[in-house]
PDB file of all heavy atoms in Angstrom:
ATOM      1  N   LEU A   1      -8.258   3.208 -10.093  1.00 94.00           N
ATOM      2  CA  LEU A   1      -8.163   2.684 -11.463  1.00 94.00           C
ATOM      3  C   LEU A   1      -7.337   1.401 -11.504  1.00 94.00           C
ATOM      4  O   LEU A   1      -7.684   0.450 -12.219  1.00 94.00           O
ATOM      5  CB  LEU A   1      -7.544   3.737 -12.390  1.00 94.00           C
ATOM      6  CG  LEU A   1      -8.479   4.864 -12.841  1.00 94.00           C
ATOM      7  CD1 LEU A   1      -7.707   5.928 -13.608  1.00 94.00           C
ATOM      8  CD2 LEU A   1      -9.626   4.314 -13.698  1.00 94.00           C
ATOM      9  N   LEU A   2      -6.251   1.367 -10.751  1.00 94.00           N
ATOM     10  CA  LEU A   2      -5.425   0.151 -10.702  1.00 94.00           C
ATOM     11  C   LEU A   2      -6.244  -1.044 -10.213  1.00 94.00           C
ATOM     12  O   LEU A   2      -6.105  -2.161 -10.712  1.00 94.00           O
ATOM     13  CB  LEU A   2      -4.225   0.371  -9.784  1.00 94.00           C
ATOM     14  CG  LEU A   2      -3.113   1.284 -10.318  1.00 94.00           C
ATOM     15  CD1 LEU A   2      -2.102   1.595  -9.225  1.00 94.00           C
ATOM     16  CD2 LEU A   2      -2.407   0.628 -11.509  1.00 94.00           C
ATOM     17  N   GLN A   3      -7.104  -0.793  -9.232  1.00 94.00           N
ATOM     18  CA  GLN A   3      -7.933  -1.882  -8.699  1.00 94.00           C
ATOM     19  C   GLN A   3      -9.040  -2.276  -9.671  1.00 94.00           C
ATOM     20  O   GLN A   3      -9.354  -3.461  -9.815  1.00 94.00           O
ATOM     21  CB  GLN A   3      -8.528  -1.458  -7.355  1.00 94.00           C
ATOM     22  CG  GLN A   3      -7.469  -1.258  -6.278  1.00 94.00           C
ATOM     23  CD  GLN A   3      -8.036  -0.785  -4.962  1.00 94.00           C
ATOM     24  OE1 GLN A   3      -8.837  -1.479  -4.346  1.00 94.00           O
ATOM     25  NE2 GLN A   3      -7.631   0.403  -4.521  1.00 94.00           N
ATOM     26  N   LEU A   4      -9.625  -1.281 -10.334  1.00 94.00           N
ATOM     27  CA  LEU A   4     -10.674  -1.584 -11.319  1.00 94.00           C
ATOM     28  C   LEU A   4     -10.119  -2.384 -12.489  1.00 94.00           C
ATOM     29  O   LEU A   4     -10.782  -3.294 -13.016  1.00 94.00           O
ATOM     30  CB  LEU A   4     -11.303  -0.276 -11.832  1.00 94.00           C
ATOM     31  CG  LEU A   4     -12.219   0.470 -10.853  1.00 94.00           C
ATOM     32  CD1 LEU A   4     -12.584   1.834 -11.416  1.00 94.00           C
ATOM     33  CD2 LEU A   4     -13.482  -0.340 -10.566  1.00 94.00           C
ATOM     34  N   GLN A   5      -8.893  -2.065 -12.883  1.00 93.00           N
ATOM     35  CA  GLN A   5      -8.285  -2.759 -14.031  1.00 93.00           C
ATOM     36  C   GLN A   5      -7.913  -4.197 -13.717  1.00 93.00           C
ATOM     37  O   GLN A   5      -7.687  -4.993 -14.624  1.00 93.00           O
ATOM     38  CB  GLN A   5      -7.045  -1.983 -14.488  1.00 93.00           C
ATOM     39  CG  GLN A   5      -7.370  -0.644 -15.135  1.00 93.00           C
ATOM     40  CD  GLN A   5      -6.186   0.302 -15.199  1.00 93.00           C
ATOM     41  OE1 GLN A   5      -5.067  -0.060 -14.827  1.00 93.00           O
ATOM     42  NE2 GLN A   5      -6.418   1.524 -15.656  1.00 93.00           N
ATOM     43  N   GLU A   6      -7.866  -4.553 -12.434  1.00 92.00           N
ATOM     44  CA  GLU A   6      -7.524  -5.915 -12.037  1.00 92.00           C
ATOM     45  C   GLU A   6      -8.740  -6.774 -11.729  1.00 92.00           C
ATOM     46  O   GLU A   6      -8.600  -7.936 -11.349  1.00 92.00           O
ATOM     47  CB  GLU A   6      -6.606  -5.881 -10.811  1.00 92.00           C
ATOM     48  CG  GLU A   6      -5.201  -5.380 -11.093  1.00 92.00           C
ATOM     49  CD  GLU A   6      -4.425  -6.282 -12.028  1.00 92.00           C
ATOM     50  OE1 GLU A   6      -4.578  -7.527 -11.911  1.00 92.00           O
ATOM     51  OE2 GLU A   6      -3.678  -5.773 -12.878  1.00 92.00           O
ATOM     52  N   LEU A   7      -9.952  -6.201 -11.871  1.00 90.00           N
ATOM     53  CA  LEU A   7     -11.167  -6.974 -11.603  1.00 90.00           C
ATOM     54  C   LEU A   7     -11.323  -8.088 -12.641  1.00 90.00           C
ATOM     55  O   LEU A   7     -10.985  -7.904 -13.817  1.00 90.00           O
ATOM     56  CB  LEU A   7     -12.398  -6.061 -11.640  1.00 90.00           C
ATOM     57  CG  LEU A   7     -12.526  -5.033 -10.509  1.00 90.00           C
ATOM     58  CD1 LEU A   7     -13.753  -4.158 -10.740  1.00 90.00           C
ATOM     59  CD2 LEU A   7     -12.615  -5.729  -9.160  1.00 90.00           C
ATOM     60  N   PRO A   8     -11.821  -9.259 -12.233  1.00 89.00           N
ATOM     61  CA  PRO A   8     -12.029 -10.359 -13.187  1.00 89.00           C
ATOM     62  C   PRO A   8     -12.908  -9.938 -14.361  1.00 89.00           C
ATOM     63  O   PRO A   8     -12.647 -10.313 -15.507  1.00 89.00           O
ATOM     64  CB  PRO A   8     -12.717 -11.426 -12.322  1.00 89.00           C
ATOM     65  CG  PRO A   8     -12.311 -11.104 -10.923  1.00 89.00           C
ATOM     66  CD  PRO A   8     -12.206  -9.628 -10.872  1.00 89.00           C
ATOM     67  N   ALA A   9     -13.957  -9.170 -14.064  1.00 89.00           N
ATOM     68  CA  ALA A   9     -14.833  -8.636 -15.121  1.00 89.00           C
ATOM     69  C   ALA A   9     -14.699  -7.120 -15.089  1.00 89.00           C
ATOM     70  O   ALA A   9     -15.283  -6.453 -14.228  1.00 89.00           O
ATOM     71  CB  ALA A   9     -16.276  -9.068 -14.887  1.00 89.00           C
ATOM     72  N   ARG A  10     -13.927  -6.577 -16.011  1.00 88.00           N
ATOM     73  CA  ARG A  10     -13.672  -5.142 -15.999  1.00 88.00           C
ATOM     74  C   ARG A  10     -14.934  -4.360 -16.326  1.00 88.00           C
ATOM     75  O   ARG A  10     -15.763  -4.785 -17.146  1.00 88.00           O
ATOM     76  CB  ARG A  10     -12.554  -4.780 -16.974  1.00 88.00           C
ATOM     77  CG  ARG A  10     -11.202  -5.277 -16.492  1.00 88.00           C
ATOM     78  CD  ARG A  10     -10.072  -4.853 -17.396  1.00 88.00           C
ATOM     79  NE  ARG A  10      -9.908  -3.406 -17.474  1.00 88.00           N
ATOM     80  CZ  ARG A  10      -8.878  -2.813 -18.074  1.00 88.00           C
ATOM     81  NH1 ARG A  10      -7.913  -3.563 -18.631  1.00 88.00           N
ATOM     82  NH2 ARG A  10      -8.792  -1.504 -18.122  1.00 88.00           N
ATOM     83  N   ASP A  11     -15.096  -3.234 -15.671  1.00 91.00           N
ATOM     84  CA  ASP A  11     -16.264  -2.363 -15.852  1.00 91.00           C
ATOM     85  C   ASP A  11     -15.778  -1.063 -16.489  1.00 91.00           C
ATOM     86  O   ASP A  11     -15.234  -0.189 -15.819  1.00 91.00           O
ATOM     87  CB  ASP A  11     -16.914  -2.087 -14.488  1.00 91.00           C
ATOM     88  CG  ASP A  11     -18.252  -1.387 -14.603  1.00 91.00           C
ATOM     89  OD1 ASP A  11     -18.392  -0.516 -15.479  1.00 91.00           O
ATOM     90  OD2 ASP A  11     -19.153  -1.681 -13.790  1.00 91.00           O
ATOM     91  N   SER A  12     -15.975  -0.951 -17.798  1.00 91.00           N
ATOM     92  CA  SER A  12     -15.465   0.212 -18.531  1.00 91.00           C
ATOM     93  C   SER A  12     -16.139   1.499 -18.075  1.00 91.00           C
ATOM     94  O   SER A  12     -15.491   2.552 -18.008  1.00 91.00           O
ATOM     95  CB  SER A  12     -15.668   0.022 -20.039  1.00 91.00           C
ATOM     96  OG  SER A  12     -17.054  -0.188 -20.340  1.00 91.00           O
ATOM     97  N   LEU A  13     -17.428   1.435 -17.727  1.00 93.00           N
ATOM     98  CA  LEU A  13     -18.137   2.640 -17.268  1.00 93.00           C
ATOM     99  C   LEU A  13     -17.534   3.132 -15.954  1.00 93.00           C
ATOM    100  O   LEU A  13     -17.308   4.335 -15.778  1.00 93.00           O
ATOM    101  CB  LEU A  13     -19.625   2.345 -17.099  1.00 93.00           C
ATOM    102  CG  LEU A  13     -20.472   3.512 -16.556  1.00 93.00           C
ATOM    103  CD1 LEU A  13     -20.377   4.729 -17.473  1.00 93.00           C
ATOM    104  CD2 LEU A  13     -21.926   3.086 -16.367  1.00 93.00           C
ATOM    105  N   ALA A  14     -17.261   2.220 -15.052  1.00 92.00           N
ATOM    106  CA  ALA A  14     -16.670   2.603 -13.768  1.00 92.00           C
ATOM    107  C   ALA A  14     -15.300   3.239 -13.984  1.00 92.00           C
ATOM    108  O   ALA A  14     -14.951   4.226 -13.325  1.00 92.00           O
ATOM    109  CB  ALA A  14     -16.554   1.384 -12.858  1.00 92.00           C
ATOM    110  N   GLU A  15     -14.519   2.694 -14.907  1.00 92.00           N
ATOM    111  CA  GLU A  15     -13.192   3.248 -15.178  1.00 92.00           C
ATOM    112  C   GLU A  15     -13.291   4.658 -15.764  1.00 92.00           C
ATOM    113  O   GLU A  15     -12.480   5.536 -15.439  1.00 92.00           O
ATOM    114  CB  GLU A  15     -12.432   2.323 -16.127  1.00 92.00           C
ATOM    115  CG  GLU A  15     -12.055   0.989 -15.475  1.00 92.00           C
ATOM    116  CD  GLU A  15     -11.303   0.056 -16.431  1.00 92.00           C
ATOM    117  OE1 GLU A  15     -10.681   0.576 -17.390  1.00 92.00           O
ATOM    118  OE2 GLU A  15     -11.343  -1.167 -16.231  1.00 92.00           O
ATOM    119  N   ILE A  16     -14.293   4.882 -16.609  1.00 93.00           N
ATOM    120  CA  ILE A  16     -14.491   6.222 -17.185  1.00 93.00           C
ATOM    121  C   ILE A  16     -14.898   7.215 -16.097  1.00 93.00           C
ATOM    122  O   ILE A  16     -14.371   8.329 -16.017  1.00 93.00           O
ATOM    123  CB  ILE A  16     -15.558   6.180 -18.296  1.00 93.00           C
ATOM    124  CG1 ILE A  16     -15.035   5.397 -19.506  1.00 93.00           C
ATOM    125  CG2 ILE A  16     -15.958   7.591 -18.718  1.00 93.00           C
ATOM    126  CD1 ILE A  16     -16.089   5.139 -20.578  1.00 93.00           C
ATOM    127  N   VAL A  17     -15.832   6.799 -15.248  1.00 92.00           N
ATOM    128  CA  VAL A  17     -16.312   7.694 -14.175  1.00 92.00           C
ATOM    129  C   VAL A  17     -15.180   8.043 -13.223  1.00 92.00           C
ATOM    130  O   VAL A  17     -14.997   9.207 -12.862  1.00 92.00           O
ATOM    131  CB  VAL A  17     -17.491   7.041 -13.414  1.00 92.00           C
ATOM    132  CG1 VAL A  17     -17.846   7.875 -12.183  1.00 92.00           C
ATOM    133  CG2 VAL A  17     -18.707   6.905 -14.325  1.00 92.00           C
ATOM    134  N   VAL A  18     -14.386   7.036 -12.808  1.00 93.00           N
ATOM    135  CA  VAL A  18     -13.266   7.299 -11.895  1.00 93.00           C
ATOM    136  C   VAL A  18     -12.212   8.165 -12.577  1.00 93.00           C
ATOM    137  O   VAL A  18     -11.660   9.086 -11.985  1.00 93.00           O
ATOM    138  CB  VAL A  18     -12.651   5.977 -11.407  1.00 93.00           C
ATOM    139  CG1 VAL A  18     -11.342   6.238 -10.663  1.00 93.00           C
ATOM    140  CG2 VAL A  18     -13.625   5.248 -10.498  1.00 93.00           C
ATOM    141  N   GLY A  19     -11.954   7.885 -13.845  1.00 92.00           N
ATOM    142  CA  GLY A  19     -10.921   8.610 -14.561  1.00 92.00           C
ATOM    143  C   GLY A  19     -11.268  10.062 -14.847  1.00 92.00           C
ATOM    144  O   GLY A  19     -10.385  10.924 -14.849  1.00 92.00           O
ATOM    145  N   GLU A  20     -12.558  10.363 -15.050  1.00 93.00           N
ATOM    146  CA  GLU A  20     -12.937  11.703 -15.487  1.00 93.00           C
ATOM    147  C   GLU A  20     -13.934  12.422 -14.576  1.00 93.00           C
ATOM    148  O   GLU A  20     -14.034  13.655 -14.629  1.00 93.00           O
ATOM    149  CB  GLU A  20     -13.534  11.623 -16.901  1.00 93.00           C
ATOM    150  CG  GLU A  20     -12.580  11.022 -17.927  1.00 93.00           C
ATOM    151  CD  GLU A  20     -13.221  10.899 -19.307  1.00 93.00           C
ATOM    152  OE1 GLU A  20     -14.192  11.638 -19.587  1.00 93.00           O
ATOM    153  OE2 GLU A  20     -12.754  10.056 -20.100  1.00 93.00           O
ATOM    154  N   TYR A  21     -14.654  11.691 -13.740  1.00 92.00           N
ATOM    155  CA  TYR A  21     -15.727  12.323 -12.964  1.00 92.00           C
ATOM    156  C   TYR A  21     -15.674  11.978 -11.477  1.00 92.00           C
ATOM    157  O   TYR A  21     -16.694  12.023 -10.795  1.00 92.00           O
ATOM    158  CB  TYR A  21     -17.096  11.900 -13.522  1.00 92.00           C
ATOM    159  CG  TYR A  21     -17.307  12.246 -14.967  1.00 92.00           C
ATOM    160  CD1 TYR A  21     -17.063  11.306 -15.971  1.00 92.00           C
ATOM    161  CD2 TYR A  21     -17.748  13.516 -15.337  1.00 92.00           C
ATOM    162  CE1 TYR A  21     -17.255  11.624 -17.308  1.00 92.00           C
ATOM    163  CE2 TYR A  21     -17.953  13.840 -16.673  1.00 92.00           C
ATOM    164  CZ  TYR A  21     -17.694  12.893 -17.655  1.00 92.00           C
ATOM    165  OH  TYR A  21     -17.887  13.221 -18.984  1.00 92.00           O
ATOM    166  N   LEU A  22     -14.492  11.648 -10.961  1.00 92.00           N
ATOM    167  CA  LEU A  22     -14.403  11.199  -9.568  1.00 92.00           C
ATOM    168  C   LEU A  22     -14.855  12.277  -8.587  1.00 92.00           C
ATOM    169  O   LEU A  22     -15.558  11.988  -7.618  1.00 92.00           O
ATOM    170  CB  LEU A  22     -12.965  10.773  -9.252  1.00 92.00           C
ATOM    171  CG  LEU A  22     -12.742  10.157  -7.862  1.00 92.00           C
ATOM    172  CD1 LEU A  22     -13.597   8.909  -7.691  1.00 92.00           C
ATOM    173  CD2 LEU A  22     -11.264   9.818  -7.645  1.00 92.00           C
ATOM    174  N   GLU A  23     -14.477  13.529  -8.834  1.00 92.00           N
ATOM    175  CA  GLU A  23     -14.872  14.615  -7.930  1.00 92.00           C
ATOM    176  C   GLU A  23     -16.384  14.806  -7.919  1.00 92.00           C
ATOM    177  O   GLU A  23     -16.998  14.981  -6.853  1.00 92.00           O
ATOM    178  CB  GLU A  23     -14.186  15.930  -8.329  1.00 92.00           C
ATOM    179  CG  GLU A  23     -12.696  15.967  -8.060  1.00 92.00           C
ATOM    180  CD  GLU A  23     -11.892  15.259  -9.141  1.00 92.00           C
ATOM    181  OE1 GLU A  23     -12.495  14.845 -10.169  1.00 92.00           O
ATOM    182  OE2 GLU A  23     -10.664  15.122  -8.972  1.00 92.00           O
ATOM    183  N   LEU A  24     -16.981  14.762  -9.107  1.00 90.00           N
ATOM    184  CA  LEU A  24     -18.444  14.922  -9.185  1.00 90.00           C
ATOM    185  C   LEU A  24     -19.146  13.754  -8.494  1.00 90.00           C
ATOM    186  O   LEU A  24     -20.179  13.938  -7.841  1.00 90.00           O
ATOM    187  CB  LEU A  24     -18.891  14.999 -10.652  1.00 90.00           C
ATOM    188  CG  LEU A  24     -18.459  16.255 -11.429  1.00 90.00           C
ATOM    189  CD1 LEU A  24     -18.923  16.149 -12.888  1.00 90.00           C
ATOM    190  CD2 LEU A  24     -19.023  17.512 -10.791  1.00 90.00           C
ATOM    191  N   LEU A  25     -18.586  12.555  -8.625  1.00 89.00           N
ATOM    192  CA  LEU A  25     -19.178  11.381  -7.978  1.00 89.00           C
ATOM    193  C   LEU A  25     -19.123  11.535  -6.464  1.00 89.00           C
ATOM    194  O   LEU A  25     -20.101  11.258  -5.764  1.00 89.00           O
ATOM    195  CB  LEU A  25     -18.433  10.119  -8.413  1.00 89.00           C
ATOM    196  CG  LEU A  25     -19.050   8.793  -7.943  1.00 89.00           C
ATOM    197  CD1 LEU A  25     -20.329   8.508  -8.720  1.00 89.00           C
ATOM    198  CD2 LEU A  25     -18.064   7.639  -8.122  1.00 89.00           C
ATOM    199  N   ALA A  26     -17.993  12.003  -5.952  1.00 86.00           N
ATOM    200  CA  ALA A  26     -17.842  12.181  -4.509  1.00 86.00           C
ATOM    201  C   ALA A  26     -18.779  13.254  -3.975  1.00 86.00           C
ATOM    202  O   ALA A  26     -19.278  13.160  -2.854  1.00 86.00           O
ATOM    203  CB  ALA A  26     -16.392  12.550  -4.181  1.00 86.00           C
TER     204      ALA A  26
END
């Protein structure tokens, strides 16, 4: 999340998936 928040163009969907669905994604 720290790395996603520092991207020049933030991706809100990616932040939601990492924040709430990281285990399911893996």
Side-chain angles (χ1 to χ4, degrees):
L1 282 173
L2 287 171
Q3 295 178 62
L4 287 171
Q5 290 162 4
E6 289 296 322
L7 291 177
R10 290 184 62 171
D11 189 322
S12 58
L13 177 59
E15 291 180 24
I16 292 172
V17 172
V18 170
E20 302 177 23
Y21 301 96
L22 185 60
E23 290 81 7
L24 292 177
L25 187 72

